[in-house]
PDB file of all heavy atoms in Angstrom:
ATOM      1  N   MET S   1      91.495  11.100-106.525  1.00 69.00           N
ATOM      2  CA  MET S   1      91.352  12.210-105.633  1.00 69.00           C
ATOM      3  C   MET S   1      92.243  12.065-104.464  1.00 69.00           C
ATOM      4  O   MET S   1      91.938  11.016-103.645  1.00 69.00           O
ATOM      5  CB  MET S   1      89.915  12.640-105.413  1.00 69.00           C
ATOM      6  CG  MET S   1      89.798  13.662-104.296  1.00 69.00           C
ATOM      7  SD  MET S   1      88.080  13.861-103.839  1.00 69.00           S
ATOM      8  CE  MET S   1      88.210  14.725-102.288  1.00 69.00           C
ATOM      9  N   GLY S   2      93.072  12.841-104.036  1.00 84.00           N
ATOM     10  CA  GLY S   2      93.924  12.693-102.819  1.00 84.00           C
ATOM     11  C   GLY S   2      93.058  13.282-101.634  1.00 84.00           C
ATOM     12  O   GLY S   2      92.279  14.181-101.881  1.00 84.00           O
ATOM     13  N   VAL S   3      93.287  12.727-100.460  1.00 93.00           N
ATOM     14  CA  VAL S   3      92.634  13.181 -99.228  1.00 93.00           C
ATOM     15  C   VAL S   3      93.587  13.969 -98.480  1.00 93.00           C
ATOM     16  O   VAL S   3      94.639  13.504 -98.147  1.00 93.00           O
ATOM     17  CB  VAL S   3      92.057  12.058 -98.491  1.00 93.00           C
ATOM     18  CG1 VAL S   3      91.251  12.601 -97.149  1.00 93.00           C
ATOM     19  CG2 VAL S   3      91.084  11.286 -99.183  1.00 93.00           C
ATOM     20  N   HIS S   4      93.286  15.294 -98.040  1.00 96.00           N
ATOM     21  CA  HIS S   4      94.122  16.010 -97.145  1.00 96.00           C
ATOM     22  C   HIS S   4      93.604  16.032 -95.807  1.00 96.00           C
ATOM     23  O   HIS S   4      92.531  16.601 -95.586  1.00 96.00           O
ATOM     24  CB  HIS S   4      94.221  17.410 -97.780  1.00 96.00           C
ATOM     25  CG  HIS S   4      95.027  17.465 -99.136  1.00 96.00           C
ATOM     26  ND1 HIS S   4      96.380  17.848 -99.113  1.00 96.00           N
ATOM     27  CD2 HIS S   4      94.770  17.100-100.330  1.00 96.00           C
ATOM     28  CE1 HIS S   4      96.831  17.649-100.304  1.00 96.00           C
ATOM     29  NE2 HIS S   4      95.812  17.230-101.017  1.00 96.00           N
ATOM     30  N   ALA S   5      94.315  15.239 -94.851  1.00 97.00           N
ATOM     31  CA  ALA S   5      93.817  15.280 -93.583  1.00 97.00           C
ATOM     32  C   ALA S   5      95.033  15.000 -92.636  1.00 97.00           C
ATOM     33  O   ALA S   5      96.016  14.291 -93.003  1.00 97.00           O
ATOM     34  CB  ALA S   5      92.774  14.127 -93.542  1.00 97.00           C
ATOM     35  N   GLU S   6      94.763  15.405 -91.385  1.00 97.00           N
ATOM     36  CA  GLU S   6      95.671  14.992 -90.378  1.00 97.00           C
ATOM     37  C   GLU S   6      95.167  13.789 -89.614  1.00 97.00           C
ATOM     38  O   GLU S   6      93.897  13.532 -89.440  1.00 97.00           O
ATOM     39  CB  GLU S   6      96.019  16.097 -89.271  1.00 97.00           C
ATOM     40  CG  GLU S   6      96.575  17.155 -89.909  1.00 97.00           C
ATOM     41  CD  GLU S   6      97.084  18.255 -89.029  1.00 97.00           C
ATOM     42  OE1 GLU S   6      97.355  17.742 -87.738  1.00 97.00           O
ATOM     43  OE2 GLU S   6      97.133  19.424 -89.199  1.00 97.00           O
ATOM     44  N   VAL S   7      96.091  12.869 -89.102  1.00 98.00           N
ATOM     45  CA  VAL S   7      95.615  11.572 -88.400  1.00 98.00           C
ATOM     46  C   VAL S   7      95.888  12.001 -86.991  1.00 98.00           C
ATOM     47  O   VAL S   7      97.059  12.008 -86.486  1.00 98.00           O
ATOM     48  CB  VAL S   7      96.396  10.416 -88.716  1.00 98.00           C
ATOM     49  CG1 VAL S   7      95.691   9.145 -88.123  1.00 98.00           C
ATOM     50  CG2 VAL S   7      96.331  10.251 -90.273  1.00 98.00           C
ATOM     51  N   VAL S   8      94.816  12.319 -86.129  1.00 98.00           N
ATOM     52  CA  VAL S   8      94.999  12.852 -84.789  1.00 98.00           C
ATOM     53  C   VAL S   8      94.726  11.859 -83.845  1.00 98.00           C
ATOM     54  O   VAL S   8      93.613  11.170 -83.749  1.00 98.00           O
ATOM     55  CB  VAL S   8      94.049  13.997 -84.653  1.00 98.00           C
ATOM     56  CG1 VAL S   8      94.198  14.598 -83.148  1.00 98.00           C
ATOM     57  CG2 VAL S   8      94.228  15.113 -85.566  1.00 98.00           C
ATOM     58  N   ARG S  23      91.601   9.772 -85.265  1.00 98.00           N
ATOM     59  CA  ARG S  23      90.486  10.296 -86.132  1.00 98.00           C
ATOM     60  C   ARG S  23      91.136  11.290 -87.216  1.00 98.00           C
ATOM     61  O   ARG S  23      92.030  11.902 -87.015  1.00 98.00           O
ATOM     62  CB  ARG S  23      89.558  11.267 -85.217  1.00 98.00           C
ATOM     63  CG  ARG S  23      88.412  11.748 -86.012  1.00 98.00           C
ATOM     64  CD  ARG S  23      87.476  12.519 -85.115  1.00 98.00           C
ATOM     65  NE  ARG S  23      86.790  11.774 -84.202  1.00 98.00           N
ATOM     66  CZ  ARG S  23      85.676  12.182 -83.523  1.00 98.00           C
ATOM     67  NH1 ARG S  23      85.270  13.444 -83.571  1.00 98.00           N
ATOM     68  NH2 ARG S  23      84.949  11.439 -82.684  1.00 98.00           N
ATOM     69  N   LEU S  24      90.429  11.225 -88.376  1.00 98.00           N
ATOM     70  CA  LEU S  24      90.987  12.135 -89.418  1.00 98.00           C
ATOM     71  C   LEU S  24      90.363  13.544 -89.279  1.00 98.00           C
ATOM     72  O   LEU S  24      89.139  13.638 -89.044  1.00 98.00           O
ATOM     73  CB  LEU S  24      90.498  11.569 -90.830  1.00 98.00           C
ATOM     74  CG  LEU S  24      91.131  10.383 -91.281  1.00 98.00           C
ATOM     75  CD1 LEU S  24      90.700  10.041 -92.813  1.00 98.00           C
ATOM     76  CD2 LEU S  24      92.576  10.302 -91.111  1.00 98.00           C
ATOM     77  N   VAL S  25      91.122  14.591 -89.269  1.00 98.00           N
ATOM     78  CA  VAL S  25      90.767  15.859 -89.422  1.00 98.00           C
ATOM     79  C   VAL S  25      91.043  16.448 -90.845  1.00 98.00           C
ATOM     80  O   VAL S  25      92.226  16.631 -91.063  1.00 98.00           O
ATOM     81  CB  VAL S  25      91.400  16.627 -88.142  1.00 98.00           C
ATOM     82  CG1 VAL S  25      91.049  18.190 -88.250  1.00 98.00           C
ATOM     83  CG2 VAL S  25      91.098  16.008 -86.833  1.00 98.00           C
ATOM     84  N   PHE S  26      90.088  16.741 -91.486  1.00 96.00           N
ATOM     85  CA  PHE S  26      90.251  17.075 -92.871  1.00 96.00           C
ATOM     86  C   PHE S  26      90.587  18.683 -92.907  1.00 96.00           C
ATOM     87  O   PHE S  26      90.029  19.509 -92.224  1.00 96.00           O
ATOM     88  CB  PHE S  26      88.912  16.965 -93.682  1.00 96.00           C
ATOM     89  CG  PHE S  26      88.584  15.508 -93.829  1.00 96.00           C
ATOM     90  CD1 PHE S  26      87.517  15.061 -92.949  1.00 96.00           C
ATOM     91  CD2 PHE S  26      89.168  14.631 -94.663  1.00 96.00           C
ATOM     92  CE1 PHE S  26      87.092  13.664 -93.061  1.00 96.00           C
ATOM     93  CE2 PHE S  26      88.685  13.454 -94.649  1.00 96.00           C
ATOM     94  CZ  PHE S  26      87.763  12.917 -93.824  1.00 96.00           C
ATOM     95  N   ALA S  30      96.444  20.344 -94.604  1.00 95.00           N
ATOM     96  CA  ALA S  30      97.237  19.216 -94.264  1.00 95.00           C
ATOM     97  C   ALA S  30      97.774  18.514 -95.589  1.00 95.00           C
ATOM     98  O   ALA S  30      97.239  18.765 -96.630  1.00 95.00           O
ATOM     99  CB  ALA S  30      96.192  18.160 -93.597  1.00 95.00           C
ATOM    100  N   GLY S  31      98.796  17.706 -95.270  1.00 93.00           N
ATOM    101  CA  GLY S  31      99.381  17.087 -96.496  1.00 93.00           C
ATOM    102  C   GLY S  31      98.439  15.817 -96.866  1.00 93.00           C
ATOM    103  O   GLY S  31      97.523  15.598 -96.101  1.00 93.00           O
ATOM    104  N   PRO S  32      98.874  15.208 -98.108  1.00 95.00           N
ATOM    105  CA  PRO S  32      97.896  14.104 -98.443  1.00 95.00           C
ATOM    106  C   PRO S  32      98.107  13.007 -97.501  1.00 95.00           C
ATOM    107  O   PRO S  32      99.118  12.677 -96.960  1.00 95.00           O
ATOM    108  CB  PRO S  32      98.598  13.741 -99.901  1.00 95.00           C
ATOM    109  CG  PRO S  32      99.671  14.737-100.154  1.00 95.00           C
ATOM    110  CD  PRO S  32      99.845  15.509 -98.936  1.00 95.00           C
ATOM    111  N   LEU S  33      96.937  12.306 -97.355  1.00 96.00           N
ATOM    112  CA  LEU S  33      96.959  11.097 -96.434  1.00 96.00           C
ATOM    113  C   LEU S  33      97.692  10.005 -97.000  1.00 96.00           C
ATOM    114  O   LEU S  33      97.569   9.691 -98.231  1.00 96.00           O
ATOM    115  CB  LEU S  33      95.469  10.760 -96.165  1.00 96.00           C
ATOM    116  CG  LEU S  33      95.006   9.846 -95.202  1.00 96.00           C
ATOM    117  CD1 LEU S  33      95.482  10.400 -93.732  1.00 96.00           C
ATOM    118  CD2 LEU S  33      93.538   9.689 -95.084  1.00 96.00           C
ATOM    119  N   THR S  34      98.537   9.276 -96.141  1.00 95.00           N
ATOM    120  CA  THR S  34      99.295   8.326 -96.615  1.00 95.00           C
ATOM    121  C   THR S  34      99.102   7.003 -95.870  1.00 95.00           C
ATOM    122  O   THR S  34      98.600   7.028 -94.674  1.00 95.00           O
ATOM    123  CB  THR S  34     100.905   8.584 -96.529  1.00 95.00           C
ATOM    124  OG1 THR S  34     101.261   8.673 -95.172  1.00 95.00           O
ATOM    125  CG2 THR S  34     101.168   9.801 -97.271  1.00 95.00           C
ATOM    126  N   LEU S  35      99.436   5.840 -96.455  1.00 96.00           N
ATOM    127  CA  LEU S  35      99.050   4.563 -95.669  1.00 96.00           C
ATOM    128  C   LEU S  35     100.076   4.460 -94.592  1.00 96.00           C
ATOM    129  O   LEU S  35      99.568   3.971 -93.595  1.00 96.00           O
ATOM    130  CB  LEU S  35      99.337   3.240 -96.720  1.00 96.00           C
ATOM    131  CG  LEU S  35      98.129   3.246 -97.603  1.00 96.00           C
ATOM    132  CD1 LEU S  35      98.542   2.085 -98.614  1.00 96.00           C
ATOM    133  CD2 LEU S  35      96.887   2.698 -96.936  1.00 96.00           C
ATOM    134  N   PRO S  36     101.296   4.855 -94.609  1.00 96.00           N
ATOM    135  CA  PRO S  36     102.278   4.603 -93.360  1.00 96.00           C
ATOM    136  C   PRO S  36     101.642   5.458 -92.164  1.00 96.00           C
ATOM    137  O   PRO S  36     101.648   4.942 -91.135  1.00 96.00           O
ATOM    138  CB  PRO S  36     103.514   5.232 -93.803  1.00 96.00           C
ATOM    139  CG  PRO S  36     103.548   4.929 -95.402  1.00 96.00           C
ATOM    140  CD  PRO S  36     102.085   5.217 -95.814  1.00 96.00           C
ATOM    141  N   ALA S  37     101.073   6.658 -92.505  1.00 96.00           N
ATOM    142  CA  ALA S  37     100.332   7.359 -91.408  1.00 96.00           C
ATOM    143  C   ALA S  37      99.315   6.710 -90.767  1.00 96.00           C
ATOM    144  O   ALA S  37      99.062   6.746 -89.520  1.00 96.00           O
ATOM    145  CB  ALA S  37      99.950   8.908 -91.970  1.00 96.00           C
ATOM    146  N   LEU S  38      98.484   6.091 -91.635  1.00 98.00           N
ATOM    147  CA  LEU S  38      97.308   5.293 -91.095  1.00 98.00           C
ATOM    148  C   LEU S  38      97.747   4.030 -90.380  1.00 98.00           C
ATOM    149  O   LEU S  38      97.067   3.652 -89.361  1.00 98.00           O
ATOM    150  CB  LEU S  38      96.342   4.972 -92.325  1.00 98.00           C
ATOM    151  CG  LEU S  38      95.762   6.135 -92.955  1.00 98.00           C
ATOM    152  CD1 LEU S  38      95.101   5.709 -94.351  1.00 98.00           C
ATOM    153  CD2 LEU S  38      94.714   6.773 -92.180  1.00 98.00           C
ATOM    154  N   VAL S  44      91.322   3.861 -87.310  1.00 98.00           N
ATOM    155  CA  VAL S  44      91.271   5.354 -87.636  1.00 98.00           C
ATOM    156  C   VAL S  44      89.783   5.623 -88.102  1.00 98.00           C
ATOM    157  O   VAL S  44      89.228   5.004 -88.880  1.00 98.00           O
ATOM    158  CB  VAL S  44      92.266   5.689 -88.879  1.00 98.00           C
ATOM    159  CG1 VAL S  44      92.121   7.311 -89.083  1.00 98.00           C
ATOM    160  CG2 VAL S  44      93.624   5.392 -88.355  1.00 98.00           C
ATOM    161  N   ALA S  46      86.733   8.236 -89.329  1.00 98.00           N
ATOM    162  CA  ALA S  46      86.536   9.517 -90.097  1.00 98.00           C
ATOM    163  C   ALA S  46      85.011   9.822 -90.265  1.00 98.00           C
ATOM    164  O   ALA S  46      84.207   8.800 -90.558  1.00 98.00           O
ATOM    165  CB  ALA S  46      87.086   9.375 -91.526  1.00 98.00           C
ATOM    166  N   THR S  55      85.199  12.174-101.089  1.00 95.00           N
ATOM    167  CA  THR S  55      86.039  11.876-100.034  1.00 95.00           C
ATOM    168  C   THR S  55      85.952  10.455 -99.583  1.00 95.00           C
ATOM    169  O   THR S  55      86.894   9.710 -99.277  1.00 95.00           O
ATOM    170  CB  THR S  55      85.869  12.909 -98.883  1.00 95.00           C
ATOM    171  OG1 THR S  55      86.024  14.220 -99.364  1.00 95.00           O
ATOM    172  CG2 THR S  55      86.900  12.656 -97.762  1.00 95.00           C
ATOM    173  N   ALA S  58      87.635   8.046-101.929  1.00 95.00           N
ATOM    174  CA  ALA S  58      89.005   8.131-101.747  1.00 95.00           C
ATOM    175  C   ALA S  58      89.283   7.454-100.561  1.00 95.00           C
ATOM    176  O   ALA S  58      90.367   6.648-100.534  1.00 95.00           O
ATOM    177  CB  ALA S  58      89.553   9.534-101.732  1.00 95.00           C
ATOM    178  N   LEU S  59      88.544   7.538 -99.473  1.00 97.00           N
ATOM    179  CA  LEU S  59      89.058   6.794 -98.207  1.00 97.00           C
ATOM    180  C   LEU S  59      88.893   5.337 -98.416  1.00 97.00           C
ATOM    181  O   LEU S  59      89.581   4.548 -97.958  1.00 97.00           O
ATOM    182  CB  LEU S  59      88.133   7.346 -96.998  1.00 97.00           C
ATOM    183  CG  LEU S  59      88.404   8.685 -96.559  1.00 97.00           C
ATOM    184  CD1 LEU S  59      87.540   9.135 -95.460  1.00 97.00           C
ATOM    185  CD2 LEU S  59      89.959   8.832 -96.188  1.00 97.00           C
ATOM    186  N   LEU S  62      91.606   3.667 -99.686  1.00 96.00           N
ATOM    187  CA  LEU S  62      92.685   3.652 -98.671  1.00 96.00           C
ATOM    188  C   LEU S  62      92.332   2.622 -97.522  1.00 96.00           C
ATOM    189  O   LEU S  62      93.186   2.471 -96.611  1.00 96.00           O
ATOM    190  CB  LEU S  62      92.965   4.958 -97.952  1.00 96.00           C
ATOM    191  CG  LEU S  62      93.681   6.063 -98.832  1.00 96.00           C
ATOM    192  CD1 LEU S  62      93.534   7.303 -98.198  1.00 96.00           C
ATOM    193  CD2 LEU S  62      95.119   5.703 -98.987  1.00 96.00           C
ATOM    194  N   PHE S  64      89.375   2.258 -96.018  1.00 98.00           N
ATOM    195  CA  PHE S  64      88.253   2.616 -94.988  1.00 98.00           C
ATOM    196  C   PHE S  64      86.974   1.936 -95.436  1.00 98.00           C
ATOM    197  O   PHE S  64      86.729   1.669 -96.563  1.00 98.00           O
ATOM    198  CB  PHE S  64      87.911   4.120 -94.985  1.00 98.00           C
ATOM    199  CG  PHE S  64      88.938   4.851 -94.185  1.00 98.00           C
ATOM    200  CD1 PHE S  64      90.228   5.264 -94.664  1.00 98.00           C
ATOM    201  CD2 PHE S  64      88.684   5.350 -92.844  1.00 98.00           C
ATOM    202  CE1 PHE S  64      91.054   5.915 -93.938  1.00 98.00           C
ATOM    203  CE2 PHE S  64      89.603   6.036 -92.074  1.00 98.00           C
ATOM    204  CZ  PHE S  64      90.896   6.295 -92.526  1.00 98.00           C
ATOM    205  N   ARG S 229      88.962   2.453 -90.634  1.00 98.00           N
ATOM    206  CA  ARG S 229      90.076   1.747 -91.250  1.00 98.00           C
ATOM    207  C   ARG S 229      90.781   1.042 -90.088  1.00 98.00           C
ATOM    208  O   ARG S 229      91.132   1.637 -89.097  1.00 98.00           O
ATOM    209  CB  ARG S 229      90.980   2.590 -92.110  1.00 98.00           C
ATOM    210  CG  ARG S 229      92.097   1.910 -92.658  1.00 98.00           C
ATOM    211  CD  ARG S 229      93.150   2.641 -93.322  1.00 98.00           C
ATOM    212  NE  ARG S 229      93.943   1.756 -94.132  1.00 98.00           N
ATOM    213  CZ  ARG S 229      94.981   1.004 -93.698  1.00 98.00           C
ATOM    214  NH1 ARG S 229      95.274   0.920 -92.336  1.00 98.00           N
ATOM    215  NH2 ARG S 229      95.759   0.351 -94.615  1.00 98.00           N
TER     216      ARG S 229
END
Side-chain angles (χ1 to χ4, degrees):
M1 171 191 160
V3 177
H4 289 258
E6 290 193 31
V7 188
V8 178
R23 181 178 288 191
L24 293 190
V25 176
F26 299 102
L33 193 56
T34 63
L35 282 172
L38 293 168
V44 180
T55 303
L59 289 181
L62 286 167
F64 281 79
R229 182 189 189 281

